[in-house]
Amino acid sequence: GSVLLAVLVVCSGVVPAQTNEQVDTSIASGVQWMLAAQTSDGSWRGSQFENYRGFTALCAYTLLKCGLPKDHPSVRLAFDWLDRQEFHRTYDLGCALMAYEALGKGRRPMELIREYAKKLVGTAGNGQRKNGGRWGYPGNHSGADMGWTDLSNTQFAVLGLRAARRCGVK
């Protein structure tokens, strides 16, 4: 029923008008869902363990962008968890940089932001400069093609590098 209606609305190009109150209610509902989904260690779990870092960074970023203060217990717990992680992959690095930038001045670990920005630049072309300035998963998901890139990882890389620049990293 509702899925069919959503498909019909999207396909028709007609989007029902939303009031500011409806939008605010939807955002508040999403924030409550995210708070309930956070684990006791501060992370959010997905279906793939290796993606928790980027997933958690994106959740922390989202909570901040939805208006939670940086001293909110859930936000603090998320960043305490993120501060203990190592980031190496494009998606994780891009999301971490976006999250740290969203914290604003005063809480940003600038040395870490510089390190992550440098690592992120180094992952272009799957770590092989000859492959150009696009990013991908390390070798096309299966590891078979180190020249393989995709636009979604490129987008997260560019957003992460923009965040690093906004933090003052050149």
Side-chain angles (χ1 to χ4, degrees):
S2 61
V3 172
L4 179 58
L5 177 60
V7 170
L8 290 174
V9 167
V10 169
C11 291
S12 71
V14 177
V15 178
Q18 300 289 309
T19 65
N20 287 342
E21 185 177 318
Q22 289 171 315
V23 171
D24 291 344
T25 299
S26 294
I27 290 171
S29 176
V31 166
Q32 290 308 309
W33 182 89
M34 288 181 67
L35 293 174
Q38 188 177 26
T39 65
S40 62
D41 69 1
S43 67
W44 279 266
R45 304 297 174 159
S47 60
Q48 298 170 315
F49 178 76
E50 68 274 8
N51 292 332
Y52 290 178
R53 291 177 197 93
F55 191 56
T56 296
L58 193 55
C59 288
Y61 169 83
T62 301
L63 290 177
L64 288 167
K65 289 300 186 174
C66 287
L68 262 65
K70 60 184 168 186
D71 63 347
H72 185 280
S74 185
V75 173
R76 279 197 329 253
L77 189 61
F79 279 96
D80 287 346
W81 187 86
L82 290 170
D83 289 345
R84 295 188 308 270
Q85 305 306 307
E86 289 189 33
F87 293 85
H88 302 285
R89 295 170 24 155
T90 302
Y91 170 76
D92 298 336
L93 289 162
C95 290
L97 287 167
M98 290 166 46
Y100 283 116
E101 188 251 335
L103 275 175
K105 292 185 178 179
R107 172 70 166 80
R108 294 180 186 152
M110 287 306 298
E111 286 305 312
L112 200 58
I113 291 171
R114 281 186 197 92
E115 175 190 336
Y116 289 172
K118 184 177 179 180
K119 280 184 180 181
L120 188 52
V121 169
T123 64
N126 283 322
Q128 298 181 30
R129 197 174 279 262
K130 66 180 179 166
N131 292 331
R134 294 179 300 176
W135 285 261
Y137 296 96
N140 83 341
H141 297 290
S142 69
D145 181 2
M146 290 307 292
W148 187 82
T149 59
D150 73 66
L151 292 179
S152 68
N153 264 262
T154 299
Q155 179 181 8
F156 277 104
V158 171
L159 290 171
L161 292 173
R162 179 181 71 172
R165 179 68 178 120
R166 288 178 174 175
C167 290
V169 176
K170 295 186 182 202

